[in-house]
Amino acid sequence: MRDMHAWNASAFDDTSAYGLGSNDRLNRVFEMPSTVHFSTKDRILGAAEELFAQYGFSGTSLRQVTSRADFNIAAVNYHFGSKENLVNEVFRRRMDEMSERRLTALKAALKDHPGELEPILAAFVEPALAMAQDRHGGGAFIRVIARAYAEKNDGLRKFLSDQYGHVLREFGKAIAACIPGLTKEALYWRLDFLSGALTYAMADFGLIKRPSGVSEAAHREHAAQELIRFAAAGFALK
């Protein structure tokens, strides 16, 4: 079934395939650092992220983490104190940067495009897709997010709500200002639907596959543009 929906690879050539070559803003958002320096803490977090993605939170032991990271249990206890804190820090490592990027982009959108909905949605969507593209564990973290949806972990959900709920509220206020008359309940339903669609796009699990000859960055940029237009139409529904 997926092959029937695949795009003709011969018709595309890298960024020009999607007409994205001149989009400087998207190019900057999707540009990832080329070098990464790993500390002891980073190595433990990386190992935990990979194992949580593969086995889930309850299915991964601290002993597995220390074995994968090649450290003893004392190193985990020193840096994190408990498995619950380790889980939280796996999310914090990714979410802090993504949230900062989102809020910075939102501030710019409100300043440069007042009253326009799509730039606000772009500020929400593009940093998340850029994180998914990160070659240093971005794909594993997407699977960790999926685990968070699938597993009942009240402590993690509270941590995410406490730490990052303000980001959704800022976007909610910005979107509401663009769509007078939209009820708060409808607004947050639609934000929830956008978040779900974005997670699906981050996982690259859909029918549209990256054509041969098109870079991963160009494919993600195109996904962002399509999702932003789709979400804008959904939020504007009366």
Side-chain angles (χ1 to χ4, degrees), residues 32-34 36 38 49 94 130-140 210 215-217:
M32 303 307 295
S34 59
V36 175
F38 295 104
E49 185 175 74
R94 304 285 184 184
M131 181 187 68
Q133 186 186 324
D134 182 3
R135 295 180 182 274
H136 301 288
R210 177 167 65 89
S215 71
E216 183 68 23

Coordinates of all heavy atoms in Angstrom, one line a residue, residues 32-34 36 38 49 94 130-140 210 215-217:
M32 N 21.7 21.6 11.7 CA 22.0 21.0 12.9 C 23.5 21.1 13.1 O 24.3 21.2 12.2 CB 21.6 19.5 12.9 CG 20.1 19.3 12.7 SD 19.1 20.3 13.8 CE 19.5 19.6 15.4
P33 N 24.0 21.2 14.4 CA 25.4 21.3 14.7 C 26.2 20.1 14.1 O 25.7 18.9 14.1 CB 25.5 21.3 16.2 CG 24.2 21.0 16.7 CD 23.2 21.1 15.6
S34 N 27.4 20.3 13.7 CA 28.2 19.2 13.1 C 29.1 18.5 14.0 O 29.5 17.4 13.8 CB 29.1 19.8 11.9 OG 29.9 20.8 12.5
V36 N 29.7 17.2 18.3 CA 29.1 17.1 19.6 C 30.1 16.5 20.5 O 30.8 15.6 20.2 CB 27.9 16.1 19.5 CG1 27.3 15.9 20.9 CG2 26.8 16.7 18.6
F38 N 30.7 14.7 24.1 CA 29.9 13.9 25.1 C 30.6 13.8 26.4 O 31.8 13.3 26.5 CB 29.7 12.5 24.5 CG 28.9 12.5 23.3 CD1 29.4 12.3 22.0 CD2 27.5 12.6 23.4 CE1 28.6 12.3 20.9 CE2 26.7 12.6 22.3 CZ 27.3 12.4 21.0
E49 N 18.4 6.9 26.6 CA 17.4 7.3 25.6 C 17.3 6.1 24.6 O 16.2 5.7 24.2 CB 18.0 8.5 24.8 CG 17.1 9.1 23.8 CD 17.6 10.3 23.2 OE1 18.6 10.3 22.4 OE2 17.1 11.4 23.5
R94 N 16.4 17.2 25.6 CA 15.8 17.6 24.3 C 14.8 18.7 24.4 O 14.8 19.6 23.6 CB 15.2 16.4 23.6 CG 16.0 15.1 23.5 CD 17.0 15.3 22.4 NE 17.8 14.0 22.3 CZ 18.8 13.9 21.4 NH1 19.1 14.9 20.6 NH2 19.5 12.7 21.3
A130 N 13.0 19.8 13.3 CA 14.5 19.9 13.3 C 15.1 19.0 14.4 O 16.1 18.4 14.1 CB 14.9 21.4 13.6
M131 N 14.5 18.9 15.5 CA 15.0 18.0 16.5 C 14.9 16.5 16.1 O 15.9 15.7 16.3 CB 14.2 18.1 17.8 CG 14.7 17.2 19.0 SD 13.7 17.3 20.4 CE 12.2 16.5 19.8
A132 N 13.8 16.2 15.4 CA 13.7 14.8 14.9 C 14.8 14.5 13.9 O 15.2 13.3 13.7 CB 12.3 14.7 14.3
Q133 N 15.3 15.5 13.2 CA 16.3 15.3 12.1 C 17.7 15.2 12.7 O 18.6 14.7 12.1 CB 16.2 16.5 11.2 CG 17.2 16.3 10.0 CD 17.2 17.6 9.1 OE1 16.2 18.3 9.0 NE2 18.3 18.0 8.6
D134 N 17.9 15.6 14.0 CA 19.2 15.6 14.6 C 19.8 14.1 14.6 O 19.2 13.2 15.0 CB 19.0 16.0 16.1 CG 20.3 16.0 16.8 OD1 21.4 15.8 16.2 OD2 20.3 16.3 18.0
R135 N 20.9 14.0 14.0 CA 21.6 12.7 13.8 C 22.1 12.1 15.1 O 22.4 11.0 15.2 CB 22.7 12.8 12.8 CG 22.2 13.1 11.4 CD 23.4 13.2 10.4 NE 23.0 13.6 9.1 CZ 22.6 12.7 8.2 NH1 22.5 11.4 8.5 NH2 22.2 13.1 7.0
H136 N 22.2 13.0 16.1 CA 22.8 12.5 17.4 C 21.6 12.2 18.4 O 21.4 12.8 19.4 CB 23.6 13.6 18.0 CG 24.8 14.0 17.1 ND1 25.9 13.2 16.9 CD2 25.0 15.1 16.4 CE1 26.7 13.8 16.1 NE2 26.2 15.0 15.7
G137 N 20.8 11.1 18.0 CA 19.8 10.6 18.9 C 18.4 11.1 18.6 O 17.5 10.8 19.4
G138 N 18.2 12.0 17.7 CA 16.9 12.6 17.4 C 15.9 11.5 17.2 O 14.7 11.5 17.7
G139 N 16.2 10.5 16.3 CA 15.3 9.4 16.0 C 14.9 8.6 17.2 O 13.8 8.2 17.4
A140 N 15.9 8.3 18.1 CA 15.6 7.5 19.3 C 14.7 8.3 20.2 O 13.8 7.7 20.8 CB 16.9 7.2 20.0
R210 N 10.4 9.8 1.7 CA 11.4 10.7 1.1 C 11.8 10.1 -0.2 O 12.3 9.0 -0.3 CB 12.6 10.8 2.1 CG 13.7 11.7 1.5 CD 14.7 12.0 2.6 NE 15.3 10.9 3.2 CZ 16.5 10.4 2.7 NH1 17.1 10.9 1.6 NH2 17.1 9.4 3.3
S215 N 17.1 15.4 0.0 CA 17.8 15.3 1.3 C 16.8 15.2 2.4 O 15.6 15.6 2.2 CB 18.7 16.5 1.5 OG 17.8 17.7 1.7
E216 N 17.2 14.7 3.5 CA 16.4 14.6 4.7 C 15.9 15.9 5.1 O 14.7 16.1 5.5 CB 17.1 13.9 5.8 CG 16.3 13.6 7.1 CD 15.2 12.6 6.9 OE1 15.3 11.8 6.0 OE2 14.2 12.7 7.6
A217 N 16.7 16.9 5.1 CA 16.3 18.3 5.5 C 15.2 18.8 4.6 O 14.3 19.4 5.0 CB 17.6 19.2 5.4

